[in-house]
Amino acid sequence: MEQFLADLREIDAGSVMYNEPLAAYTTWKIGGPADVLIIPDTQDQLVSVVRLLHQHGLRWTNLGRGSNMLVSDKGIRGVVIQPGERFDYARFDGTLVHAGAAYSFIKLSVMAGKEGLTGLEFAGGIPGSVGGAVYMNAGAHGSDVSRIFKSADIVLETGELVRFGAEEMAFSYRHSVLHESPGIVTGAVFELEEGDRKTIAASMAALKQRRLHTQPLKLPSAGSVFRNPPNDHAARLIQEAGLKGMRQGGAEVSAQHANFIVNTGQATAEDVLTLITTVRKTVREKFGIELVTEVLVVGER
């Protein structure tokens, strides 16, 4: 690591921070420090950083908006990379939408609606970045990224810059090829359809009202914690198991939506992990169903 850090100072890497607490970078507001946090502002900087990491045989962790991630209380050893401000863009070309990895997925859905483009309404309540949405094949309300995806530019772990289409991404439920073959999305292209602005706006407003009534949006969370089992819903199983409102330290199984675990103020990662373990065990014992986490748990335990 020492030689890597020495070499890092010799390249244009963007912003570099040491022992940086990550709680401020996650929607759960939980997480210990990263040994090194690098925020490249350009694609060239990102490529240079990843190539240098590869040359030194070092692994890295990609951090977008931290909306689907639980960082351990001890933090992340090694290097964390977060795409910087110049990856925060969107432009429209007919029915094609070009968006940077750091661009808000919610904002993209709103902008698409204003352009009279339909297909992104499902993203109105998904608080992550475009890069994270592609990585996770994010979805809601019966749709997901794979339905509108055209291509993505990705920096592979070797530092090679490639463009993947839908086939190379191998999308499935909340999954993509990037789970097995690490890479950092720098930008993506989505293909939407022309629609009526008023109809799109009405649909998005209805979905927003539904979220306001059913989801604990005023408290820090990571959205849905568990994937929905085939032909069922994790929230229903957790609620039927009597776990709504269960607390551990500062973490709580939301009384509003059972598939959310919220930070009531001083929750630790261990508080959340204890609740996750309890929920999985109880649902398994009561229903014989093994819940699978949708959130990514990262860092030193």
Side-chain angles (χ1 to χ4, degrees), residues 78-215:
V79 174
V80 175
I81 301 173
Q82 182 185 58
E85 291 184 0
R86 293 193 187 180
F87 296 93
D88 187 7
Y89 69 85
R91 67 177 186 273
F92 295 85
D93 180 14
T95 58
L96 296 180
V97 182
H98 302 256
Y103 200 77
S104 162
F105 206 38
I106 290 177
K107 187 176 179 181
L108 190 66
S109 71
V110 173
M111 296 300 293
K114 290 180 178 179
E115 291 286 329
L117 298 175
T118 184
L120 258 172
E121 291 89 333
F122 75 91
I126 299 175
S129 64
V130 166
V134 171
Y135 175 87
M136 287 296 298
N137 187 24
H141 309 297
S143 190
D144 58 32
V145 165
S146 70
R147 308 277 186 99
I148 57 171
F149 181 85
K150 187 172 179 65
S151 67
D153 291 334
I154 299 168
V155 179
L156 301 180
E157 59 182 341
T158 59
E160 179 186 3
L161 181 63
V162 298
R163 178 166 294 172
F164 279 2
E167 185 174 347
E168 289 93 342
M169 290 300 298
F171 288 122
S172 59
Y173 180 65
R174 305 296 180 267
H175 185 273
S176 76
V177 70
L178 298 178
H179 288 232
E180 286 80 40
S181 302
I184 300 176
V185 175
T186 66
V189 181
F190 304 107
E191 187 161 14
L192 306 180
E193 296 179 0
E194 293 182 355
D196 178 73
R197 285 179 173 81
K198 291 183 178 179
T199 301
I200 296 169
S203 174
M204 293 188 69
L207 291 174
K208 182 177 181 179
Q209 283 301 312
R210 178 181 172 186
R211 289 191 298 274
L212 288 172
H213 283 95
T214 61
Q215 298 179 7

Side-chain angles (χ1 to χ4, degrees), residues 28-30 73 220 247-251 262-269 271:
W28 240 326
K29 304 305 177 187
I30 293 172
D73 299 315
R247 298 187 73 155
Q248 170 67 39
V262 295
N263 180 355
T264 64
Q266 299 296 326
T268 65
D271 290 340

